[in-house]
Amino acid sequence: MMTEEDILYQNGDYWIRRVQGKRSAYYEVIHDTITHGEVCIIIGEGPGPNLGIERAKAECDKKAGSE
């Protein structure tokens, strides 16, 4: 079950959460619709610190700005 604390970053109707997969973690950029959230983009953590979350934030801002 997801909670509001799972939201790492939000811009308008787009937000980010971190998911721990079997092999590695990744970030999902999610678009809120009227009835549910829809995953738009999945971004891996990357080889360095904070690369994945920074890329996810950039994509989130880009999507929110294009509406």
Side-chain angles (χ1 to χ4, degrees):
M1 173 117 178
M2 289 188 52
T3 65
E4 195 170 324
E5 293 159 355
D6 292 324
I7 299 173
L8 300 177
Y9 179 79
Q10 184 170 4
N11 186 344
D13 290 336
Y14 293 87
W15 54 279
I16 300 168
R17 75 173 183 150
R18 184 175 185 271
V19 178
Q20 181 61 50
K22 291 182 181 180
R23 296 183 182 171
S24 63
Y26 57 91
Y27 298 95
E28 292 180 337
V29 176
I30 300 169
H31 179 230
D32 279 339
T33 64
I34 293 173
T35 59
H36 64 282
E38 178 178 79
V39 176
C40 299
I41 302 170
I42 296 174
I43 298 173
E45 283 198 315
N50 299 323
L51 290 177
I53 187 66
E54 293 304 319
R55 174 74 194 280
K57 285 179 181 179
E59 289 293 331
C60 189
D61 292 341
K62 181 179 168 184
K63 292 268 189 202
S66 67
E67 284 192 341

